[in-house]
Amino acid sequence: MTVTLNHTIVPAADHRAAARFFASVMGLPELPPAGRLGHFAPVRVNETLTLDFMTVPAAEGHHLAFDVDPETFDGILARIQAAGVPYGNDPAEPDNGRIDHPLCARGLFFRDDSHNLYEVMSRDEPISRDEAAVPRDEAEPPM
């Protein structure tokens, strides 16, 4: 059997606000409240994983890292910039406005109000429109 992560709890000062913020930045769907008392605010990350935001007293931030393709990275960066959310390429400086990540082609960190530190990494460079329009076998070979 393959092991997959089904869900994880993300601590928050306000679970609904934290879920809404994360979903809006990442371009992901918020799900209806879950748990016996509706105390989870889930966000669907992919086919197998939800992040279940839960209000806790004195929420301590967690670090959550995500691999994304270049187009998804571009969308996340655009939403972060449009919302005025500070971001950066270093967890110690998540507000330096840089995306030159030390471990991948492009990456960034940003925080929510509960001090959760999110990391978004794109391992590939974005493909320019010109490159995308030319089939691989017709493209000039690299020199």
Side-chain angles (χ1 to χ4, degrees), residues 3 17 65 122 135 140:
V3 177
S122 179
E140 292 183 33

Side-chain angles (χ1 to χ4, degrees), residues 17-119:
R20 189 174 312 111
F21 169 77
F22 177 76
S24 69
V25 166
M26 298 293 284
L28 298 170
E30 283 183 78
L31 302 177
R36 284 182 321 212
L37 306 173
H39 57 282
F40 294 125
V43 174
R44 171 68 60 198
V45 174
N46 58 37
E47 299 81 32
T48 63
L49 177 63
T50 61
L51 296 185
D52 293 349
F53 290 82
M54 184 173 86
T55 299
V56 297
E60 291 184 18
H62 287 228
H63 174 212
L64 298 135
F66 303 90
D67 286 324
V68 299
D69 60 49
E71 294 78 23
T72 301
F73 184 89
D74 292 340
I76 292 167
L77 180 59
R79 287 187 292 275
I80 284 174
Q81 290 172 329
V85 175
Y87 65 92
N89 68 340
D90 185 330
E93 294 182 78
D95 59 354
N96 67 18
R98 295 172 51 183
I99 60 169
D100 53 318
H101 195 283
L103 302 176
C104 57
R106 299 183 302 157
L108 60 83
F109 295 86
F110 66 97
R111 289 192 185 280
D112 67 15
D113 290 341
S114 297
H115 307 289
N116 291 302
L117 179 67
Y118 302 101
E119 182 176 10

